[in-house]
C-alpha cells in the first residue's frame, strides 16, 4: 500500500508504543489513527472520520485540538488508556518537507503530574515488587511529588505484610517480574482491580543493572555498600521502577532527590484486615474517605500535610521517646492557641510545593506555576517569628536552620510578571527591568509600531483618503485598507492583496519592509522570553532539594498543629505512655462514631487491660456496641502512637508493637478465598506473630463456620493466646458459651454491653459492665430492624422450643412440614442438634473410650453411675 510520508512517520513511531494510544501532533491538532482512533473516538465522544475520504476503506482518524489536550487526556487515562504524546520537534514554518516528530512523554495513571489530571492532593503512586526466597521487596514513587521509597519485608509473613503495604499505598500501577504470580499467596495482589499490573522480564529486576541506574541518578549516595540480600532486593525493585519511569517520562527526574528506606520494623505492625476493619483511611461501605479516622484527623491546611498525615496513620510509632516528642509538640500548640492560629494562617497560603516542584523539574510548568511557588514561599519568613522559646525538642529541630528560600523567591519576583499567560511561548512573561536585552528589543518593537502609525498618517495625507487604515490579521499580515468608494484615489504603486465586498486591501514596499522587521522583532522577543523563562525554571529546579526539605518541615508543622486543633475542638486528652503492657482508657469514645451521632449521644466507656486482665470477653446482643467499643480502643492506641491526643477522659497505655484485628465474616469472596479460610489464615497469622506487647481484637471469630466448629475454634484460639502469648486481647462474641473461658483462666474476664428490656422492646444502654450478657435478644433486634411481626412471633415460638430443649428428633418432622411450606430445606433444620443429642453423643463417646477389660469392678460401677447421672440431668432438663 502506498503511504504518505506522514503516515510512514506515524507507523514508524507507533511501532515503538504498541500498548499506548498515540496522540500524533499535526499542526494545531493531536490526531489518532487506526484502532487508536476507533476506541478513542468512543471514549472522547468525538467524530470518527477517515483520512482519505475518497477511498472506501480509508484509515480511521480522529483528532483533538492541542489546547484542549488535558481534558481529553484525563478521559483517556480514566478509561484505562496509556497515552504516548508525540510532538512536532521543529517549527513547520522553517522546515521543508516533513517535520521531525518524537514521543516526548508516555502518560498513564501512575505517571501523572498535572493537577488537572490527578485526583485530589493525595499521593499517586507507581509501585514495584520483587519476591525472593527469603525476603519480599517493594518500592514506590510518586512523580507528582518526588516521593521515592523502598523497603524489604522478611519473616514468615513477608507476603501478607506486602499485601498490607500495597493496600495502604494504593498504587495506580504495579511493576511485577514475570512469573511472580505463580505463587498463590499473591492472588490478592494479582486480582486487585485498583492497580494496573505490568509484567516485566526478570532481567529488568537484575539488581546490578538497577543499582547502576540508581547510582547514576543519585550521585551523592553510594549504593555499592548495600550488599545484603534484603538490601539488594529492595534496590532491584527501586531500580526497575526508576528505569521504567524514566523511559515513560523522558525527562530527568531531578525532583526525585532521595531514595528513602522505609523500615517497617520501626513502626507498629498492622495487617491488611486491620487497616480495613478499623476504617483508617476509607470506610467499609463505599471505600471513600468520609467516616474514616483520616477524615476526623485531617484538618491539615496544606496538601503536603494531608499526604503525610495519611502515612502517619499507617505507621504509628513504637519508640516511646519519638511519640513523646510529637506529643510535646502537639501540647505546645494545644496550650499556645495563638501561636497555632498564626502558624496555620501562614500555612493556609502555602500551595502544594511538592507538586509545583515536580512540574517545574519535569519542565511541564508555566509562568503561573512559578508565581504560585513564589506566593507560597512568601509566608516562610514569618513562620519562625511565631515561636517563642523554650520550644519542645521536635519543634526546635523543625525550626533549626529554617530556610526562607529568599533567593528563590527573589529570582521569580524579579523576573516573572504577576499575572503571566498560560503559554510560555507567547511572550508577555518577563518583567520589565529584568533583562536589558529584552527591554531593548521591546522598545525597538515599540518604535516599529509607532513607525507603522506614522506610515498610516503619511499615506493618508499623500493619498487624501481619510478612511485609509493599516491593519493586521494572521492570514494576510499587515495591509492598507481602503473602502470601496475611495479606491479611485489609490496610487499606482499600491499592490492589490485582497478584495472584499466593502473594501480593497493593498500593500506597498515600505509596509512590506516594516512588516518583516516587526515579525522578526516579535519572534526575537518571544524567543528571548522563552529562553529567560527556561533559565529561571532551571535555576529554581536546581534548588528542588532545599524546597522539598522545607515542604517536609511544613507538612510536619501542619500535622502537629492540626492534632492540637482537633484535640481542642473535640475534647481529646494527651495519653500517657507506661512501661507495662497495660491499656487503660477512661471514658473513651469512638473518634468517628461520636462525630456522626448528634452531640452528646455517644456513650463513653471505660476499658482496662492490666496485669490481672489480659483478655476481655465482651458479650451482648447484636447492635449493643461490642464492635464499636473494641475498635475505639484500637483507634485510640493508633492515635496515641501517632502522637495525637485521644478521645477519652484519661488514657494510659504500654506501647503496642503489633495490632491485630480480626473481624468475623468479612467478605473477601472477590479475591477468590472463602470467608472462613481467610478468617483462619488471619487467626493463624495472629497466633504465630503476636507478642506480649501486641493488642489483639477478635470480633465474632468463628462466625464463618457452623456453630459448634465456631465455638470450638474460637475457644481454642483464645486459650492459646492466654496460655502462650499473654497478649492484651479484646474478644467479642455472641456465643455465650465462650464466657466459660473465664472459669479456666483468671486473666480472662467477662464483660457485657448492657441493654434493658421494656415491654418486650430492647433498649440499648451502650454501657460496658462486668459480667455476662443474660441472653441474645436476637428477636428483639430483628423486630427493631423491621422484620414482620409474623416472623418474629414464629421465631419466638422456635426459641421457646429450643430453650425448653424439647426439639428432639421426634419433634422435628412436624415442624418441618410447616417450615417446608416456607421454603426451608429439611437438612438445614435437621442439622440443628439439640442439647439432648449432644449429651447422647457425649455418652457414646465415653462408652467408646472405655477399656472394660481393664477395669476394676469399682471403676465400672462409677462409670455406670456417671452415665445414669447424665441421663437424669436430661430428664430434669426436659421436665
Ligand atoms: P455490635 O458489635 O454489638 O453488634 P456495634 O458496635 O456494631 O454493635 O454497634 C452498633 C451501633 O450502635 C453503632 O453503629 C453505633 O451507631 C451504636 N453505638 C455503639 N456504641 C455506641 C456508644 N457507646 N454510644 C452510642 N452509640 C453507640
Ligand atoms: Mg459487632
Amino acid at each position: 500500500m502506498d503511504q504518505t510520508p506522514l503516515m510512514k512517520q506515524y507507523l514508524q513511531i507507533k511501532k515503538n508504543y504498541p500498548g499506548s494510544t498515540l496522540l500524533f501532533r499535526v499542526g494545531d491538532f493531536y490526531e489518532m489513527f487506526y484502532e487508536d482512533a476507533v476506541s478513542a473516538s468512543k471514549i472522547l465522544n468525538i467524530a470518527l472520520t477517515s483520512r482519505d475520504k475518497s477511498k472506501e476503506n480509508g484509515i480511521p482518524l480522529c483528532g483533538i485540538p492541542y489546547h484542549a489536550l488535558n481534558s481529553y487526556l484525563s478521559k483517556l487515562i480514566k478509561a484505562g488508556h496509556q497515552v504516548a504524546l508525540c510532538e512536532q520537534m521543529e517549527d513547520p514554518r522553517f522546515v521543508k518537507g516533513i517535520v521531525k516528530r518524537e514521543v516526548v512523554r508516555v502518560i498513564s495513571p501512575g505517571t501523572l503530574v498535572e493537577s488537572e489530571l490527578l485526583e485530589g492532593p493525595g499521593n499517586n503512586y507507581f509501585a514495584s515488587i520483587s519476591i525472593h526466597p527469603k525476603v519480599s521487596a517493594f518500592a514506590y514513587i510518586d512523580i507528582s511529588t518526588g516521593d521515592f521509597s523502598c523497603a524489604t519485608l522478611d519473616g514468615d509473613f513477608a507476603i501478607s505484610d506486602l499485601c498490607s503495604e500495597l493496600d495502604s499505598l494504593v498504587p495506580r500501577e504495579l511493576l511485577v517480574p514475570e512469573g511472580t504470580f505463580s505463587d498463590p499467596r499473591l492472588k490478592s495482589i494479582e486480582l486487585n482491580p485498583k492497580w494496573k499490573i505490568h509484567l516485566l522480564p526478570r532481567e529488568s529486576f537484575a539488581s546490578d543493572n538497577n543499582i547502576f541506574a540508581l547510582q547514576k541518578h543519585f550521585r551523592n549516595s553510594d549504593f555499592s555498600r548495600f550488599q545484603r540480600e534484603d538490601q539488594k532486593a529492595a534496590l532491584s525493585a527501586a531500580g526497575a521502577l526508576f528505569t521504567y519511569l524514566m523511559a515513560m517520562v523522558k525527562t530527568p527526574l531531578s525532583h526525585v532527590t532521595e531514595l528513602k528506606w522505609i523500615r517497617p520494623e520501626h513502626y507498629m505492625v498492622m495487617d491488611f484486615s486491620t487497616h480495613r476493619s478499623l476504617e483508617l483511611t476509607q470506610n467499609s461501605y463505599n471505600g471513600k474517605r468520609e467516616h474514616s479516622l483520616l477524615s476526623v484527623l485531617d484538618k491539615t491546611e496544606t496538601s503536603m500535610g494531608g499526604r503525610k498525615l495519611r502515612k502517619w496513620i499507617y505507621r504509628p510509632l513504637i519508640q516511646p521517646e519519638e511519640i513523646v516528642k510529637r506529643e510535646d509538640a502537639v501540647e505546645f500548640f494545644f496550650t499556645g492557641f495563638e501561636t497555632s492560629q498564626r502558624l496555620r494562617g501562614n500555612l493556609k497560603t502555602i500551595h502544594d510545593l511538592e507538586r509545583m516542584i515536580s512540574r517545574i523539574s519535569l519542565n511541564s510548568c508555566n509562568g503561573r506555576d512559578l508565581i504560585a511557588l513564589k506566593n507560597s514561599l512568601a509566608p516562610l519568613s514569618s513562620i519562625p517569628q511565631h515561636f517563642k522559646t523554650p520550644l519542645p525538642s521536635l519543634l526546635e529541630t523543625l525550626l533549626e536552620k529554617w530556610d526562607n528560600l529568599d533567593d528563590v523567591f527573589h529570582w521569580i519576583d524579579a523576573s516573572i510578571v504577576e499575572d503571566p499567560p498560560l503559554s510560555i511561548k507567547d511572550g508577555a512573561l518577563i518583567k520589565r527591568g529584568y533583562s536589558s536585552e529584552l527591554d531593548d528589543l521591546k522598545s525597538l518593537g515599540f518604535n516599529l509600531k509607532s513607525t507603522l502609525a506614522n506610515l498610516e498618517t503619511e499615506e493618508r495625507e499623500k493619498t487624501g483618503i481619510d478612511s485609509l487604515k493599516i491593519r493586521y490579521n494572521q492570514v494576510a499580515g499587515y495591509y492598507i485598507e481602503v473602502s470601496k468608494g475611495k479606491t479611485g484615489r489609490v496610487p499606482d504603486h499600491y499592490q492589490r492583496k485582497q478584495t472584499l465586498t466593502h473594501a480593497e486591501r493593498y500593500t506597498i514596499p515600505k509596509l512590506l519592509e516594516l512588516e518583516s522587521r516587526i515579525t522578526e522583532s516579535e519572534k526575537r522577543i518571544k524567543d528571548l522570553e522563552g529562553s529567560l523563562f527556561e533559565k529561571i525554571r532551571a535555576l529554581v529546579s536546581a534548588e528542588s532539594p532545599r524546597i522539598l526539605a522545607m515542604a517536609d518541615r511544613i507538612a510536619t508543622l501542619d500535622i502537629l498543629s492540626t492534632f492540637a486543633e482537633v484535640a481542642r475542638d473535640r475534647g481529646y486528652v494527651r495519653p500517657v505512655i507506661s512501661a507495662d503492657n497495660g491499656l487503660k482508657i477512661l471514658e473513651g469514645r469512638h473518634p468517628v462514631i461520636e462525630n456522626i451521632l448528634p452531640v452528646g449521644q455517644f456513650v463513653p466507656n471505660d476499658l482496662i487491660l492490666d496485669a490481672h486482665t489480659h483478655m476481655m470477653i465482651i458479650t451482648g446482643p447484636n447492635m449493643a456496641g461490642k464492635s464499636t467499643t473494641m475498635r475505639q480502643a484500637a483507634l485510640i492506641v493508633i492515635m496515641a502512637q501517632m502522637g495525637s491526643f485521644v478521645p477519652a477522659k484519661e488514657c494510659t497505655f504500654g506501647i503496642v508493637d503489633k495490632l491485630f484485628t480480626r473481624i468475623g465474616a468479612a467478605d473477601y469472596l472477590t479475591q477468590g478465598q472463602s470467608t472462613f479460610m481467610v478468617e483462619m489464615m488471619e487467626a493463624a497469622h495472629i497466633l504465630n506473630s503476636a507478642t506480649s506487647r501486641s493488642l489483639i481484637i477478635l470480633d465474632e471469630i468463628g462466625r464463618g463456620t457452623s456453630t459448634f466448629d465456631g465455638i470450638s475454634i474460637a475457644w481454642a484460639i483464645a486459650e492459646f493466646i492466654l496460655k502462650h502469648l499473654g497478649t492484651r486481647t479484646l474478644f467479642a462474641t455472641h456465643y455465650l458459651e465462650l464466657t466459660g473461658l473465664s472459669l479456666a483462666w483468671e486473666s480472662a474476664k467477662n464483660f457485657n454491653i448492657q441493654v434493658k428490656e421494656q415491654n418486650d422492646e430492647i433498649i440499648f444502654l451502650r454501657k460496658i459492665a462486668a459480667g455476662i450478657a443474660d441472653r441474645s435478644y436476637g428477636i428483639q433486634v430483628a423486630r427493631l430492624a423491621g422484620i414482620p411481626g409474623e416472623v418474629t412471633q414464629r421465631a419466638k415460638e422456635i426459641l421457646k422450643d429450643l430453650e425448653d430443649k424439647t426439639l428432639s428428633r421426634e419433634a422435628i418432622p412436624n415442624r418441618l412440614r410447616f417450615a417446608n411450606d416456607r421454603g426451608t430445606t429439611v437438612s438445614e433444620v435437621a442439622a440443628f442438634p439439640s442439647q439432648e443429642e449432644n449429651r447422647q453423643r457425649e455418652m457414646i463417646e465415653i462408652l467408646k473410650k472405655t477399656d472394660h477389660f481393664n477395669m476394676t469392678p469399682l471403676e465400672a460401677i462409677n462409670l455406670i453411675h456417671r452415665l445414669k447421672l447424665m441421663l437424669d440431668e436430661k430428664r430434669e432438663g426436659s421436665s
Side-chain angles (χ1 to χ4, degrees), residues 3 8 65 285 332 357 615 643 774:
Q3 276 161 354
K8 265 199 196 123
Y285 53 92
F332 176 88
I357 280 303
M615 180 179 288
D774 50 356

Side-chain angles (χ1 to χ4, degrees), residues 373-404:
L373 175 62
K374 179 185 95 171
N375 293 338
S376 297
L377 298 181
L380 286 187
S381 59
S382 345
I383 289 177
Q385 295 165 14
H386 306 318
F387 293 86
K388 285 196 195 73
T389 44
L391 290 172
S393 68
L394 180 54
L395 290 181
E396 210 159 82
T397 317
L398 286 169
L399 294 169
E400 199 177 27
K401 299 212 184 94
W402 184 263
D403 187 351
N404 290 334

